[in-house]
Amino acid sequence: MENETDNAMLEASFDLATRIDEAESAIGTLRSDVDEVKARLDRVSRAASRPLLDGGQASPEVKGFVDGYLRRGSETQVKSINGAAPGDGGYAVPREIDAAIARHLQDISPIRAIAQVVQVGSAGYRKLITRGGTSSGWVSETAGRPETGTPGFAEIAPPFGELYANPAASQAMLDDAAFDLEGWLASEIGQEFARAEGAAFISGSGVDQPKGFLNGPKAEEGDATRSFGTLQFVKSGEAGGFSELAEVTLIDLVHTLKAGYRQGACWVMNSATLAKIRKLKTSDGAFLWQPGLVEGQPDRLLGYPVVEAEDMPDVAAGTFPIAFGNFKAGYLIAERSATQILRDPFTNKPFVHFYATKRVGGQLLDSAAIKLLKIAA
C-alpha cells in the first residue's frame, strides 16, 4: 500500500514538472510574439512619421505601387491599380512619384529649367511654325481686301530617345518599412535623368537622343539674311580667348538678339567660362559680372541672369562657350509624361534594380532666339 502511494506521488510530481515546462515554453513563445509585434509597430510608426512626397496622405495608388510592387514585386497588386498597365518593359509610376522625379529634373537640369517643355502622349511630336509671320496691309473702310502673301512654314519634329536609369537597393533596405523608398527612387532617377539630358540638350547628336542647340549650322549673318535653323554667332576678337574689348563684344552679342526676345533672355555657360567672365572689367574698373543681391536670385551679366551648364564647352579656339538668348522661344523639349519602372531582383542578387525609362526629345525651335559667342579672331 505504501509503495502504491509513493508511485502515485512520483507520477504526480512528474506531471507537475511537465506542465511547468509546457507553461514556460508557452510564455517564451508569447514573449517572442509580443516582441515581434512591437518591432513591427515601431517600424510602421517610423515609416508613418516620415514626410510623404505630396506632403499629405499617401494615395492608395502610391501605397499599392510602393508596398506591393517595388518592395515585394507583386505584379498582381500593380495590375489592379487603375492606369498602371505594363508598357515599354515596365509599369507606369503613380503621378505623385512622377511629379517628384519632374521636380528633381527641374532643379538639376539647367536647360530644362529655361527651355519650353511640352508633354506628349506618344513618342512623336510635330509642330508647325511660321517663318517671318503673316503678311498684312492697310485699306480704307470701303476698299476691297486684296489677298496677302502666304507665310512660309517650317515643321519642327524633335528627335526622341529613350532615357534610362538603373538604381539598385538591397532587399534588406526594401524590407525596412522606415526606408523612404519612393523618395529615394525619385531622387536617384531624377539625378541620372538630369545628368544625361543636360548633355543631350546642348550637344546631342539627334540619333536616338535629343538634338542639342549647339549641334547645328552656324553663321555670322543676321536674322534678315540667315537661313532658318542656323544660329548666329559673334566672334570674341581673340583666337584663343577674350580680347581686351570683351565688354564691347558681349554687348554686341546681346543686341544681335531682337528686343522682343531679350525679355526673358539669359546667359548659358559652364563654371570654367564663368570664372573667366567674372574677372572681366569695364574701362572704368567695374566688374561686368554682378552677384545676386537677394538670396535665390541669379547672378547677372550686363543685366541678364547667368545659368551654369557644365556641358557647355570650355574656352578654346573655335569653340562656342557662351550662349545668350530666350530659350523658352528658342529650344523645345518634348517628353512622354509617364516614367516606366521595371523591378529586376535577378540580375545582381542580393540587390534589386529598378530599371526606369522615359521618352524625351529636343530640338532647336527658333534660331532667331539664341545667339552664340565663338572664340575666334
Side-chain angles (χ1 to χ4, degrees):
M1 187 69 177
E2 184 177 352
N3 290 336
E4 292 180 357
T5 303
D6 291 340
N7 290 336
M9 293 178 62
L10 184 61
E11 290 179 359
S13 64
F14 280 136
D15 183 59
L16 179 61
T18 300
R19 290 182 179 181
I20 292 174
D21 290 340
E22 290 177 351
E24 290 179 347
S25 177
I27 292 172
T29 302
L30 181 60
R31 285 176 178 172
S32 178
D33 292 341
V34 170
D35 291 340
E36 183 178 353
V37 170
K38 287 182 177 179
R40 289 182 178 178
L41 289 175
D42 182 61
R43 288 197 299 267
V44 171
S45 176
R46 284 184 286 133
S49 64
R50 69 171 182 260
L52 299 173
L53 287 175
D54 58 357
Q57 293 288 332
S59 68
E61 182 183 13
V62 173
K63 184 175 178 58
F65 186 82
V66 173
D67 294 337
Y69 181 62
L70 297 183
R71 291 189 188 275
R72 296 191 295 271
S74 175
E75 296 188 13
T76 303
Q77 188 168 2
V78 174
K79 289 178 182 178
S80 67
I81 299 173
N82 185 30
D88 296 339
Y91 292 91
V93 302
R95 60 184 182 276
E96 291 93 335
I97 299 179
D98 208 30
I101 295 174
R103 286 194 297 270
H104 281 283
L105 288 174
Q106 184 77 12
D107 293 339
I108 301 172
S109 181
I111 303 302
R112 174 182 287 271
I114 59 177
Q116 180 181 157
V117 182
V118 296
Q119 305 292 332
V120 298
S122 62
Y125 176 79
R126 297 180 183 276
K127 181 178 181 178
L128 282 178
I129 62 174
T130 59
R131 294 185 291 180
T134 304
S135 299
S136 58
W138 292 95
V139 294
S140 66
E141 182 179 357
T142 58
R145 269 61 175 174
E147 183 178 351
T148 58
T150 303
F153 288 92
E155 184 182 62
I156 300 297
F160 276 76
E162 188 167 88
L163 188 60
Y164 71 91
N166 196 24
S170 67
Q171 186 60 52
M173 294 169 62
L174 301 180
D175 291 338
D176 185 359
F179 175 53
D180 184 7
L181 176 56
E182 58 268 38
W184 169 83
L185 193 62
S187 176
E188 290 290 313
I189 295 174
Q191 289 183 29
E192 286 301 311
F193 280 5
R195 179 192 58 79
E197 71 176 26
F201 295 154
I202 292 174
S203 56
S205 65
V207 179
D208 296 329
Q209 62 180 274
K211 187 172 183 179
F213 64 86
L214 287 184
N215 189 11
K218 308 170 187 68
E220 286 189 85
E221 290 80 5
D223 294 342
T225 57
R226 195 177 67 258
S227 60
F228 179 81
T230 301
L231 290 181
Q232 181 182 2
F233 67 82
V234 173
K235 292 182 178 179
S236 66
E238 188 71 32
F242 300 106
S243 70
E244 295 180 356
L245 300 176
E247 176 191 5
V248 176
T249 303
L250 294 175
I251 291 175
D252 289 341
L253 181 61
V254 168
H255 289 278
T256 57
L257 195 67
K258 292 179 180 178
Y261 290 132
R262 289 201 296 271
Q263 304 298 320
C266 64
W267 301 91
V268 177
M269 64 189 77
N270 65 23
S271 298
T273 303
L274 180 58
K276 297 179 183 295
I277 291 295
R278 291 185 61 176
K279 300 171 186 175
L280 298 178
K281 297 182 179 181
T282 63
S283 57
D284 57 0
F287 285 100
L288 294 179
W289 180 83
Q290 300 169 333
L293 300 179
V294 180
E295 184 178 358
Q297 293 297 316
D299 301 325
R300 293 182 175 270
L301 176 63
L302 297 178
Y304 295 94
V306 179
V307 175
E308 292 186 56
E310 294 305 324
D311 295 292
M312 288 290 289
D314 293 331
V315 175
T319 62
F320 299 87
I322 297 177
F324 176 77
N326 188 320
F327 284 80
K328 287 287 185 186
Y331 193 79
L332 175 70
I333 299 172
E335 63 179 7
R336 289 183 62 179
S337 58
T339 302
Q340 307 285 331
I341 290 184
L342 177 65
R343 188 181 192 272
D344 177 15
F346 309 108
T347 302
N348 189 23
K349 297 186 291 291
F351 296 97
V352 178
H353 284 263
F354 298 97
Y355 180 68
T357 59
K358 189 171 188 175
R359 297 285 295 177
V360 180
Q363 184 181 353
L364 184 68
L365 180 60
D366 187 349
S367 55
I370 300 176
K371 307 295 180 179
L372 303 174
L373 179 73
K374 181 178 182 179
I375 304 299

